[in-house]
Amino acid sequence: MRFSLCLTSNQVPSPLMALGSCSLMWFRKGLRIHDNPALEYAAKSSDFVYPVFVIDPHYMKPDPNAFSPGSSLAGLNRIRFLIESLVDLDSNLKKLGSRLLVLKGEPGEILIRCLEQWNVKKLCFEYDTEPYYQAIDVRVKDYACSAGIEVFSPVSHTLFNPADIIQKNGGKPPLSYQSFLKVAGQPSWASSPLSTSLSSLPPVGAYGNCEISEVPSVKELGYEDNGQDELTPFRGGESEALKRLRDSLSDGEWVANFEKPKGDPSAFLKPATTVLSPYLKFGCLSSRYFYQCLQDLYKNVKKHTSPPVSLAGQLLWRDFFYTMAFGTPNFDQMKGNRICKQIPWNSNEELLAAWREARTGYPWIDAIMVQLQKWGWMHHLARHCVACFLTRGDLFVHWEKGRDVFGRLLIDSDWAINNGNWLWLSCSSFFYQYNRIYSPISFGKKYDPNGKFVRHFLPILKDMPKEYIYEPWTAPLNIQAKAKCIVGKDYPRPVVLHDSASKECKRRLAEAYALNKELNGLVSEEDLHSLRRKLEEDQNHDIKAKRQRQKLIG
C-alpha cells in the first residue's frame, strides 16, 4: 500500500471548518463501496467524511471538433457510463448515511481548495498509475504534507503494486507474461477475505464556499441527444457490476472451462465473454474481489483452465500491462519507447478515416467498427481483427492512430491495457509473428457463415446472399441489385486488396525488423525516413514491373 504521513502544518482553522476529525475521500476510479480500503480508512475514527468526485474538463468538456460526440478524449458512450456509475455510487453512499459531493474544475486545484476549507485531517484516494493522475497526485500530496494532512493512497485497482513487481525484478518490469507470473507469485492479500461491505459512514461536514452539486446528467454536461438509434446495452455502476459478476459466476462450468482467446467474436445478443472490463476500468468492480471469487470457484470444481487463458489469467494480464506501462517511459508512443520496435508506419489520413468510419469495404471489419461506435465495446477477437487490419495486416497505419480511436470510443478504454494491446497487435512489442494475419474475409466467416453480425451492424447488406456477405464486391451486379446494395454506390469498394496489401505489409515489417536488429533498436528519425523512402521506391518498382509484365502478356 502507498501511505504517507505529513505532520508539518501551520494551517490556521477557518471559522467555517467543521468541528471534529474530518476525512476527504477522493474518488477517481474505484467507484465502489466493496473492497475500497481508501474509503474504509477515511471512515475510521472520523467524525465527518467528504466523498468527492471532480468533473474534470480535461476528460469531460464537450469537443465539437472531435470525430464523434464526446470530449476530446472520451466518446459519449464512456461519459454516459461514467455518469451512470457516479449516480449508482451516490445512491449506495446515501444508503450508508452519506452522499457523493460533485465539484467541477481542474482536480488538483479543487482538491487543494477543499482541503483548505474543510479542516481535513486525512486525505484518502486509491493509487493510480496513469501519468496524468501521477502528476496531479504529486501536487496534492505536496500540499497535504505542507498542511500536516495525513495521506492514505492504497493500491487496490490492481492485484499487485506495479512498483513492488518492478523492484523484485531488479528495477525493470518483466518483459513477458510468464516472467511476470514468476516474479509476482500470489497476491499477499489473497489468503484472507476482503472487506466487501460497510454498515454506515460518518456524515458529510459543512461545505464552506465550495460549490457542490448532484451528479450531472449528460445533457447538463453540455451534450445533446445525438439521435443514435442504438445505444450501448451496458449500464455503468457497482450494482450492475456485481449483478453481472454473479451472473457470470453462476455458470461454474463455463467459468472453469473459459479459455481465451477462444470465443465467438460475432456473438452480440449474448456476448461470449463476461463484459466485466468496463466495470474493472472504472473500478465499479474490484479486480481483487473478482480474483478471490474465481479462486473460491476453482476450489469447488474438478478441473479448470489456468493462466494465461483462464479468467483469472485475464486479470493477471491486466496487471502485467499495468506493470509494463508503469515501468516503461513513453509507453504510449513509438518514439523513445525502449520496448517498441521502430517501424516506418504511414500516416494516410484517408485510410485511417475509412477504417474509423466503417468504410473499408470489408463487411467484417466495418461491422466491428460500427459496433464500436454504437456500443463502445466489441469482443477481444474482433478488436484483434480490426487492429491488425489497420496496422500490420492491410493498411500499415501507425498503431498510435488506432489506439487513439479505441481510447476515445471504448467504454472500457484503459490507458495501460489499450496501449499494451496496440503494441502487441501491431507487432511492435510483446508479439513478433507478423506473418500471422487475421483475414478480413475468412475469419468472420468461420464463426458466422450466415453473416448475422454483419447484417445487424451493416443493415445495407442485410439482403446480400450469404455467399457474398463477406465479399460483396464479388457478387454479380444483378445479385447486388436484388439485394439493394450496389458496391461502389451503396457500400464502398475495398480500400485495398487484402492479398497484395498483406504481402506488402509483411515485406515492410521484415525490412523494419532487420533495421531494428542491425541498429540494436537505436533507430533514429533519419533511419526511419530513409527506410520509408526505400520501401516506397521498392513498391513503385514492383508496380511498374507488374504493369510491364501485363503489357507483354497482353
Side-chain angles (χ1 to χ4, degrees):
M1 286 191 173
R2 296 268 166 184
F3 179 85
S4 60
L5 181 61
C6 309
L7 297 172
T8 56
S9 175
N10 295 315
Q11 185 184 39
V12 178
S14 160
L16 287 174
M17 292 177 181
L19 298 173
S21 176
C22 297
S23 298
L24 192 155
M25 172 62 202
W26 180 19
F27 285 98
R28 295 98 68 88
K29 295 170 188 166
L31 304 180
R32 64 180 184 272
I33 305 298
H34 75 280
D35 183 33
N36 195 329
L39 179 61
E40 283 192 39
Y41 194 80
K44 188 177 180 181
S45 304
S46 295
D47 298 313
F48 301 97
V49 172
Y50 294 89
V52 166
F53 184 87
V54 182
I55 299 289
D56 185 352
H58 179 69
Y59 283 113
M60 306 285 272
K61 184 181 178 182
D63 181 1
N65 298 317
F67 66 78
S68 71
S71 70
S72 60
L73 296 173
L76 192 51
N77 270 326
R78 189 157 82 251
I79 290 171
R80 186 181 286 112
F81 191 96
L82 170 58
I83 293 300
E84 291 166 353
S85 300
L86 294 174
V87 168
D88 187 66
L89 176 62
D90 183 44
S91 174
N92 290 335
L93 287 169
K94 284 173 178 173
K95 292 172 186 174
L96 299 174
S98 184
R99 62 162 289 198
L100 187 64
L101 307 176
V102 178
L103 300 98
K104 296 179 182 178
E106 195 281 317
E109 293 176 8
I110 296 293
L111 258 291
I112 290 171
R113 193 183 312 155
C114 292
L115 293 174
E116 286 173 344
Q117 292 214 7
W118 294 343
N119 194 24
V120 170
K121 299 300 182 186
K122 287 192 296 189
L123 169 62
C124 304
F125 55 92
E126 185 177 67
Y127 185 70
D128 197 314
T129 56
E130 281 191 39
Y132 177 73
Y133 279 108
Q134 288 270 303
I136 293 174
D137 292 358
V138 168
R139 286 174 52 209
V140 173
K141 284 181 180 180
D142 284 349
Y143 172 80
C145 284
S146 68
I149 298 170
E150 179 185 346
V151 177
F152 183 67
S153 184
V155 175
S156 53
H157 188 63
T158 49
L159 305 180
F160 300 92
N161 183 342
D164 291 345
I165 301 293
I166 291 167
Q167 184 180 15
K168 285 170 70 175
N169 197 52
K172 292 182 179 180
L175 284 172
S176 72
Y177 179 78
Q178 291 301 331
S179 60
F180 169 82
L181 294 184
K182 189 174 180 181
V183 172
Q186 284 296 314
S188 58
W189 48 264
S191 57
S192 54
L194 295 165
S195 174
T196 56
S197 63
L198 288 172
S199 57
S200 65
L201 284 170
V204 176
Y207 303 158
N209 294 325
C210 292
E211 293 185 20
I212 304 296
S213 72
E214 298 285 338
V215 178
S217 67
V218 170
K219 190 172 183 180
E220 286 168 339
L221 286 173
Y223 296 100
E224 297 297 326
D225 180 6
N226 63 349
Q228 189 171 309
D229 60 347
E230 184 176 1
L231 298 173
T232 179
F234 311 117
R235 297 289 171 261
E238 178 182 20
S239 301
E240 182 66 24
L242 293 174
K243 178 182 180 298
R244 186 170 284 275
L245 176 66
R246 286 192 298 270
D247 291 346
S248 296
L249 296 180
S250 66
D251 189 345
E253 184 180 354
W254 181 83
V255 173
N257 294 321
F258 182 90
E259 192 172 346
K260 192 176 179 180
K262 293 181 180 178
D264 183 355
S266 69
F268 61 95
L269 294 175
K270 186 182 178 183
T273 185
T274 64
V275 195
L276 286 170
S277 54
Y279 304 94
L280 291 166
K281 178 264 185 302
F282 283 107
C284 301
L285 175 64
S286 158
S287 63
R288 308 193 314 171
Y289 178 59
F290 186 11
Y291 182 86
Q292 206 162 65
C293 288
L294 288 173
Q295 299 307 314
D296 291 342
L297 186 147
Y298 290 154
K299 290 173 188 174
N300 295 311
V301 294
K302 288 182 180 179
K303 63 176 183 177
H304 60 83
T305 53
S306 301
V309 298
S310 63
L311 266 182
Q314 304 317 299
L315 289 173
L316 291 162
W317 271 112
R318 178 175 180 267
D319 264 63
F320 169 63
F321 279 137
Y322 263 84
T323 303
M324 286 302 307
F326 183 67
T328 306
N330 303 311
F331 185 72
D332 60 342
Q333 60 190 55
M334 179 178 79
K335 189 176 179 182
N337 182 348
R338 64 180 177 80
I339 69 164
C340 181
K341 288 199 181 296
Q342 304 298 298
I343 296 169
W345 303 107
N346 71 46
S347 55
N348 190 313
E349 290 296 325
E350 290 182 9
L351 290 178
L352 173 66
W355 175 83
R356 184 181 65 218
E357 296 163 13
R359 296 187 286 102
T360 68
Y362 287 91
W364 174 242
I365 299 299
D366 291 341
I368 294 168
M369 295 305 290
V370 171
Q371 185 185 30
L372 171 60
Q373 291 165 15
K374 292 192 171 190
W375 287 22
W377 183 89
M378 63 279 212
H379 187 274
H380 54 267
L381 286 178
R383 302 180 193 209
H384 292 190
C385 288
V386 294
C388 177
F389 184 88
L390 179 70
T391 57
R392 64 186 173 85
D394 292 80
L395 304 185
F396 212 69
V397 172
H398 203 310
W399 63 265
E400 291 176 20
K401 301 284 189 179
R403 181 274 319 280
D404 289 344
V405 173
F406 272 28
R408 175 181 180 74
L409 296 180
L410 283 169
I411 55 174
D412 60 5
S413 176
D414 184 300
W415 188 82
I417 298 167
N418 191 28
N419 280 293
N421 276 320
W422 277 94
L423 283 163
W424 186 295
L425 291 164
S426 65
C427 281
S428 293
S429 192
F430 306 118
F431 177 77
Y432 302 107
Q433 296 177 41
Y434 58 81
N435 285 307
R436 291 173 58 183
I437 288 173
Y438 293 90
S439 166
I441 300 165
S442 62
F443 192 82
K445 191 185 294 185
K446 177 175 71 171
Y447 291 96
D448 183 18
N450 292 317
K452 290 180 182 178
F453 179 84
V454 169
R455 295 178 203 280
H456 178 83
F457 289 106
L458 292 176
I460 190 65
L461 291 167
K462 65 183 173 62
D463 296 324
M464 188 67 68
K466 69 176 185 179
E467 295 83 3
Y468 305 108
I469 190 71
Y470 291 99
E471 301 173 87
W473 63 91
T474 65
L477 192 57
N478 65 318
I479 298 290
Q480 294 181 34
K482 189 177 179 181
K484 303 182 188 66
C485 180
I486 305 297
V487 175
K489 176 188 172 189
D490 303 307
Y491 181 71
R493 299 183 188 281
V495 290
V496 294
L497 296 175
H498 171 64
D499 287 347
S500 56
S502 62
K503 285 178 184 174
E504 177 62 19
C505 285
K506 290 174 188 176
R507 185 173 72 85
R508 291 182 174 213
L509 279 167
E511 294 262 17
Y513 271 42
L515 181 65
N516 277 262
K517 185 176 181 181
E518 178 188 340
L519 300 178
N520 198 26
L522 301 175
V523 181
S524 67
E525 285 284 336
E526 189 177 340
D527 295 326
L528 279 181
H529 181 72
S530 297
L531 179 56
R532 186 177 287 110
R533 189 169 59 244
K534 176 184 180 298
L535 290 169
E536 288 171 357
E537 289 171 355
D538 290 348
Q539 187 179 23
N540 290 334
H541 179 270
D542 289 347
I543 291 170
K544 287 178 182 177
K546 186 177 179 180
R547 286 174 180 165
Q548 191 66 32
R549 285 195 300 272
Q550 288 172 340
K551 281 182 181 179
L552 291 172
I553 293 170

